[in-house]
Amino acid sequence: MQELLKRNKGLHRTILIVDDECIEREMLGAMLEDAYAVIYAENGAVALNTIRKEKQTLSLVILDLHMPELDGYSLLKIIRADSELRRIPVIVLTSEKEAEVSVLQLGAADFITKPYDVPDVVRARVSRSIELAEDSIIIHETERDELTGLFNKEFFFQYGRRLDTQNENMPMDALVMDINRFHMINEMYGRNYGDMILKQIGFCLHEIVCHTGGLACRFNSNCFGIYLPHVTDLREKLPQYISNICDRMGDGKVTIRMGVYHDDGSGLDMEQRFERAALTCRKLRNSYTTCFEFYNAELHSRELYSERLINDIDKALEEKQFKVFYQPKYCICGNKPKLTSVEALIRWYHPEFGIIMPAEFIALFEENGLIQKLDRYVWNVAAEQISRWKHEFGIELPVSVNVSRVDAFNPMLGTILDEITKKNGLDNGKLLLEITESAYTDNSQQIIDTVNQLRRQGYKIEMDDFGRGYSSLNMLTALPIDALKLDMNFIRNICDNVKDRRLVGIMIEIARLLEVPAIAEGVETKEQMELLKELGCDVIQGYYFSKPLSAEDFRMLLKEELRGEAS
Ligand code: C2E
Ligand code: CA
Ligand code: CA
């Protein structure tokens, strides 16, 4: 078996022995024939013909220096100068010591002296030369990305680091480039189109680095890295680079974004520069207006902070670091404001950072889906709270919870909520679900279906932040909702700004039209409250009545309210 393998392996490797002396050829051939397929040529000219013909399969040429027609030196030069033949290693046969240096300088892989050493030595030299040559081919092939011809990631960093060490004080800029929504492009226009785009980008980046003396690589499917000698006017040059790339890609279906680390002399290594550039590029993910951005330290610390919060969330849930606060909503339709429900709002008591407000983490957790865990936690806590108050005070006060747009796409949402209300012995109607208006405009049909289903299960839906998004009037009439919560931003200036006042009036009219109550939040002053009452607003939430309170503080408020009602 071993023998067969060896022969098979040998068959795949063909050696050409070039010598004008028949006896020499045969002696050498006899040493190698067991392990290789050996072919012969009696002079340089014949050899060159054979080499050209067999260039795909030839693994090694063993070449005598002195021959008629074309001698060994000349043939060696021709092979080394020809880009198609250069990969074939050449071992030179020589009897003169002086020739050894010059043939090695000409690019011979090795030499074998005449008269020949023992066969084992000859065979060892032959096999080593072949192996070395093959390894270098493998390296050459794997160092490049097949599709774009750019370096692959491993080689890029390996090579870049080596260059950095050699050019110690050379400042270098790092650029990371990404194609916006590449998976969509592949899906919509097909893989071939996607491949074409990647190739064009490869071409452009190759051009850039040829001009600047930098390096370019493809990191992964749609992400590229460019390492350039530092220039102070990169900010001015970049739009040109980008527009060249976009032109090259053609029809404007594809857009790109670029994050740049501009060398500021702080001596970061190559990887660190690219980490920063990648981070900057990631930040542009959701931007439709900016296509490149330079790294800055503030951005970096913000990103690190976000990553910390993401890492900490599980532990925080386990240790109950999240606290739910409660802010009352009052009905102002009658003579006296009446507590009707309460909104659950989350706060994070972080052991290191102190109290973190939701504005700092909700959007972040929406981005990666973690919000689902968090919201579920809040719904549970809120439901338990309603049931506790029910037992203590004998009233079932409705609590509204925020339902993120991400939750709304979970097909299990209804089941999850049912479990929670059931566990706490609550009527589904006591859990009000606040869904922000923009969730409706993102994907209206799906949201409408979800909301319809939830309402069939008995939940009440409040549309949050109404007026901030772009609901069209005809869409509104099709929306299944139970209350409209006006966006706080309109309330803020309602007393001084006539336009805002009119808008609020219109929004309240819309609520009338839809036959649902209008809720105003962010009401801070008596004047705002009275004006809203005049405009026909039904329910009010805001600092004017109360800030969001801890469960304990809210319990006190509830006690007061009930006492007031009784008297
Ligand atoms: P939102 O749902 O629109 O909540 C109203 C925000 O206005 C709350 O901010 C509340 O504290 C604040 N607020 C209430 N009255 C006044 C007032 O008179 N003046 C001013 N200036 N502000 C007032 P908060 O608690 O910081 O929450 C911010 C946002 O975070 C919420 O906006 C909501 O979108 C989100 N959020 C809060 N808790 C949760 C949660 O458990 N899950 C989800 N998905 N989102 C949450
Ligand atoms: Ca809300
Ligand atoms: Ca709101």
Side-chain angles (χ1 to χ4, degrees):
M1 186 66 186
Q2 197 61 34
E3 191 54 32
L4 193 70
L5 273 180
K6 206 166 135 195
R7 288 179 77 106
N8 269 341
K9 204 175 158 207
L11 282 179
H12 288 292
R13 287 171 173 71
T14 307
I15 296 179
L16 171 67
I17 298 177
V18 192
D19 203 318
D20 54 337
E21 286 185 63
C22 179
I23 182 86
E24 300 273 351
R25 283 200 306 268
E26 284 188 0
M27 266 173 63
L28 199 55
M31 290 183 212
L32 298 170
E33 258 170 6
D34 268 352
Y36 302 95
V38 183
I39 52 177
Y40 301 92
E42 63 276 15
N43 63 50
V46 175
L48 186 57
N49 256 338
T50 312
I51 293 170
R52 291 227 155 98
K53 225 165 62 210
E54 304 289 333
K55 62 175 184 249
Q56 299 296 345
T57 51
L58 209 52
S59 289
L60 178 75
V61 175
I62 302 180
L63 183 62
D64 186 25
L65 281 182
H66 304 291
M67 293 178 299
E69 303 255 333
L70 187 63
D71 70 9
Y73 284 108
S74 315
L75 183 55
L76 182 56
K77 276 189 203 152
I78 293 172
I79 293 174
R80 300 301 302 165
D82 186 321
S83 64
E84 288 192 307
L85 307 181
R86 201 181 299 145
R87 64 152 197 93
I88 306 169
V90 178
I91 292 183
V92 169
L93 299 169
T94 168
S95 45
E96 319 119 4
K97 266 258 158 281
E98 317 80 82
E100 288 171 11
V101 175
S102 57
V103 295
L104 287 177
Q105 279 170 345
L106 279 180
D110 203 349
F111 49 84
I112 294 175
T113 44
K114 287 182 186 181
Y116 300 125
D117 270 313
V118 285
D120 278 345
V121 174
V122 171
R123 279 196 285 268
R125 300 203 119 165
V126 164
S127 101
R128 199 183 62 113
S129 291
I130 293 177
E131 256 170 45
L132 279 176
E134 285 180 354
D135 282 351
S136 92
I137 292 169
I138 289 168
I139 289 170
H140 188 74
E141 278 173 359
T142 51
E143 81 195 12
R144 291 196 180 269
D145 164 54
E146 224 171 274
L147 193 65
T148 60
L150 302 175
F151 288 137
N152 66 36
K153 185 175 171 184
E154 287 71 32
F155 186 79
F156 178 68
F157 280 113
Q158 202 180 322
Y159 193 41
R161 269 192 309 252
R162 205 156 67 209
L163 289 181
D164 276 345
T165 322
Q166 283 164 10
N167 303 272
E168 214 181 318
N169 295 318
M170 167 94 94
M172 297 292 287
D173 299 331
L175 283 68
V176 168
M177 194 188 106
D178 215 327
I179 306 171
N180 292 319
R181 296 199 275 186
F182 187 63
H183 63 284
M184 292 294 293
I185 292 162
N186 265 332
E187 258 167 47
M188 285 165 70
Y189 308 112
R191 276 201 78 87
N192 285 344
Y193 184 83
D195 282 357
M196 184 278 285
I197 292 295
L198 294 171
K199 274 189 206 161
Q200 298 300 350
I201 290 177
F203 179 87
C204 294
L205 299 191
H206 192 75
E207 267 195 339
I208 294 175
V209 295
C210 279
H211 277 111
T212 54
L215 305 174
C217 95
R218 181 169 168 218
F219 281 142
N220 59 39
S221 66
N222 49 297
C223 185
F224 298 83
I226 314 153
Y227 201 37
L228 297 178
H230 175 71
V231 286
T232 47
D233 60 347
L234 186 60
R235 204 178 275 276
E236 288 77 54
K237 285 197 165 121
L238 221 46
Q240 189 59 51
Y241 288 161
I242 292 175
S243 103
N244 287 352
I245 294 172
C246 292
D247 286 351
R248 181 99 204 166
M249 291 187 301
D251 41 17
K253 286 180 198 151
V254 183
T255 56
I256 56 171
R257 59 180 183 274
M258 248 190 217
V260 183
Y261 176 79
H262 206 211
D263 197 324
D264 59 359
S266 49
L268 300 180
D269 66 27
M270 185 182 179
E271 267 96 348
Q272 291 169 322
R273 287 165 213 243
F274 274 96
E275 266 165 29
R276 280 153 178 73
L279 188 116
T280 314
C281 191
R282 265 205 305 281
K283 274 278 135 197
L284 288 177
R285 201 171 28 212
N286 300 320
S287 166
Y288 293 97
T289 45
T290 325
C291 61
F292 71 88
E293 177 103 41
F294 280 56
Y295 166 86
N296 69 57
E298 189 202 315
L299 184 93
H300 187 54
S301 58
R302 219 176 329 138
E303 192 69 5
L304 286 181
Y305 179 66
S306 299
E307 266 162 35
R308 226 351 250 291
L309 297 186
I310 291 170
N311 283 332
D312 289 352
I313 186 173
D314 282 330
K315 189 150 176 264
L317 284 167
E318 234 169 71
E319 296 181 352
K320 300 200 165 36
Q321 292 171 13
F322 290 105
K323 306 278 179 225
V324 179
F325 273 51
Y326 300 89
Q327 188 177 33
K329 299 182 201 173
Y330 287 86
C331 175
I332 53 164
C333 302
N335 296 334
K336 220 171 114 197
K338 185 176 178 314
L339 179 66
T340 54
S341 66
V342 53
E343 178 173 9
L345 294 158
I346 195 165
R347 272 94 187 92
W348 187 347
Y349 283 67
H350 194 283
E352 196 177 315
F353 303 135
I355 301 177
I356 311 179
M357 296 302 279
E360 287 187 49
F361 55 83
I362 295 294
L364 175 70
F365 292 156
E366 274 180 336
E367 237 174 64
N368 50 32
L370 286 171
I371 191 70
Q372 297 195 55
K373 268 193 205 177
L374 197 62
D375 278 349
R376 209 162 157 168
Y377 177 84
V378 176
W379 304 338
N380 265 299
V381 174
E384 281 165 18
Q385 195 58 68
I386 306 177
S387 123
R388 220 171 287 134
W389 288 328
K390 187 168 131 190
H391 286 119
E392 190 176 349
F393 301 110
I395 54 150
E396 217 173 329
L397 186 66
V399 175
S400 65
V401 291
N402 289 286
V403 174
S404 155
R405 73 192 71 226
V406 184
D407 302 313
F409 291 117
N410 181 352
M412 297 301 290
L413 179 61
T415 317
I416 293 171
L417 288 166
D418 275 355
E419 266 171 31
I420 293 174
T421 49
K422 206 163 145 211
K423 197 169 74 191
N424 292 285
L426 298 181
D427 173 21
N428 287 356
K430 296 297 177 211
L431 210 52
L432 314 176
L433 309 178
E434 295 196 5
I435 303 181
T436 181
E437 180 195 21
S438 60
Y440 286 86
T441 35
D442 273 359
N443 187 335
S444 44
Q445 196 48 51
Q446 195 167 353
I447 288 278
I448 290 173
D449 294 346
T450 307
V451 166
N452 273 329
Q453 176 55 37
L454 290 170
R455 290 179 88 218
R456 276 197 294 274
Q457 287 172 239
Y459 296 99
K460 296 256 181 316
I461 312 293
E462 300 191 341
M463 186 195 259
D464 205 353
D465 308 323
F466 178 59
R468 194 185 299 180
Y470 312 96
S471 304
S472 64
L473 283 176
N474 65 6
M475 176 186 147
L476 270 176
T477 56
L479 279 186
I481 46 167
D482 301 287
L484 269 193
K485 255 187 120 167
L486 315 190
D487 185 21
M488 234 173 9
N489 291 314
F490 296 106
I491 311 298
R492 191 165 301 131
N493 303 319
I494 190 176
C495 294
D496 325 311
N497 185 320
V498 184
K499 273 194 188 149
D500 278 3
R501 186 155 61 231
R502 285 220 188 106
L503 273 174
V504 168
I506 291 170
M507 288 192 273
I508 292 171
E509 279 306 306
I510 292 174
R512 281 279 101 60
L513 183 84
L514 299 176
E515 298 174 348
V516 298
I519 306 175
E521 65 179 331
V523 180
E524 297 185 353
T525 65
K526 190 157 191 265
E527 294 72 55
Q528 289 171 334
M529 201 269 287
E530 280 168 355
L531 192 53
L532 284 160
K533 191 172 169 150
E534 230 170 77
L535 290 171
C537 182
D538 306 278
V539 176
I540 282 201
Q541 174 184 351
Y543 295 173
Y544 173 65
F545 285 116
S546 167
K547 290 202 166 179
L549 302 171
S550 69
E552 188 43 39
D553 289 345
F554 192 83
R555 186 178 157 272
M556 305 302 285
L557 180 138
L558 202 53
K559 249 177 150 174
E560 285 294 309
E561 285 292 326
L562 292 171
R563 198 177 302 147
E565 260 174 42
S567 62

